[in-house]
Amino acid sequence: MEHIIIPDAPREIESADRIYPPEYEGHFSRLLIKREEIIERATDLAKAIHNDYKGKRPVLLCVLKGAASFYLHLLEALQDLRQGFYTEFLRLSSYEGAETSGTVKARGGLHYQDLTGKDVLIVEDMIDTGTTLSHLIPVLKKEANPKSVEVCTLLTKRLQTPAKCEAKYVGFSIPNQFVIGYGLDYNELYRDLKDIWVISQKGIDFDPHKLHG
């Protein structure tokens, strides 16, 4: 299925009605994708996944933490379609601040035998360089020997250099800007936003230690 392209130029999209924690005031340069658009797109992706896996029970492998919100809505949409599935979770990281580090760090456990002989669908928040998946997929194939491995991602970022890995199911293609919200973070902040925003310089410069709790 074709992905939805979010243009480089700012969209005419109303942001005054969006809600977010008051400590984030001024931390966004613009609203990129509304929550309602995301949920609608998750429903569309679920229909495509259901068509491909009808009669099967794929393992939906959520890459934490960023994909958690998207994963939840994707599962709900699949449930509405009466699609069976298994759930697994893995925490990886290839980001340090606003830049991709180029290396992948595993921070969560996964029992590879739970994937052996099964159809695995990796659920990601975003693919930009593809570094994370280009490391993860060969490891899964070697250690788990699944029946198949595919990728579903909410976002792909348009870069000059092609990504090292592509997804079969894509929600939105977005400009090469650092985005936050709906599970996406900057130094562990902004995951609690309902929508997806482009971070502002104030947001980048903000010291998280100023927050309480």
Side-chain angles (χ1 to χ4, degrees), residues 9 55 83 157 164 184 188:
Q83 172 66 54
K157 188 177 287 187
K164 299 175 183 177
L184 297 157
E188 291 301 322

Side-chain angles (χ1 to χ4, degrees), residues 32-147:
L32 193 70
I33 309 174
K34 287 186 176 185
R35 178 184 179 87
E36 295 85 348
E37 295 176 292
I38 299 169
I39 295 175
E40 180 179 356
R41 188 58 176 161
T43 300
D44 291 340
L45 291 171
K47 291 176 181 177
I49 293 168
H50 175 60
N51 286 336
D52 291 342
Y53 291 93
K54 190 178 298 183
K56 302 178 181 179
R57 293 182 60 88
V59 179
L60 272 65
L61 177 58
C62 178
V63 180
L64 298 171
K65 296 179 184 177
S69 296
F70 174 50
Y71 188 75
L72 174 62
H73 286 119
L74 187 66
L75 294 192
E76 290 180 344
L78 287 170
Q79 289 168 341
D80 290 340
L81 295 168
R82 303 177 67 187
Q83 172 66 54
F85 53 78
Y86 301 101
T87 59
E88 292 290 347
F89 301 86
L90 182 64
R91 187 174 178 185
L92 301 170
S93 177
S94 65
Y95 268 91
E96 294 178 1
E99 300 296 332
T100 303
S101 65
T103 59
V104 174
K105 300 177 182 178
R107 298 182 179 181
L110 177 67
H111 299 294
Y112 292 120
Q113 63 268 27
D114 294 335
L115 307 181
T116 302
K118 295 178 180 177
D119 296 300
V120 176
L121 180 59
I122 301 170
V123 181
E124 267 277 25
D125 55 354
M126 178 169 60
I127 296 176
D128 44 25
T129 64
T131 298
T132 302
L133 291 173
S134 69
H135 284 73
L136 174 61
I137 291 175
V139 172
L140 290 181
K141 289 182 176 180
K142 178 182 178 181
E143 300 294 336
N145 191 27
K147 183 178 180 181

Side-chain angles (χ1 to χ4, degrees), residues 136-210:
L136 174 61
I137 291 175
V139 172
L140 290 181
K141 289 182 176 180
K142 178 182 178 181
E143 300 294 336
N145 191 27
K147 183 178 180 181
S148 66
V149 179
E150 297 291 352
V151 178
C152 175
T153 183
L154 175 62
L155 307 174
T156 59
K157 188 177 287 187
R158 295 191 295 276
L159 304 177
Q160 291 184 346
T161 303
K164 299 175 183 177
C165 181
E166 295 184 353
K168 182 174 183 179
Y169 309 98
V170 178
F172 302 90
S173 169
I174 65 170
N176 184 18
Q177 295 178 300
F178 200 89
V179 294
I180 52 175
Y182 193 72
L184 297 157
D185 79 302
Y186 177 72
N187 291 338
E188 291 301 322
L189 293 179
Y190 312 112
R191 294 191 194 277
D192 48 352
L193 295 169
K194 298 177 72 173
D195 310 283
I196 295 177
W197 303 76
V198 176
I199 195 170
S200 68
Q201 190 60 48
K202 182 177 179 180
I204 292 174
D205 295 338
F206 182 72
D207 181 3
H209 295 97
K210 293 181 179 179

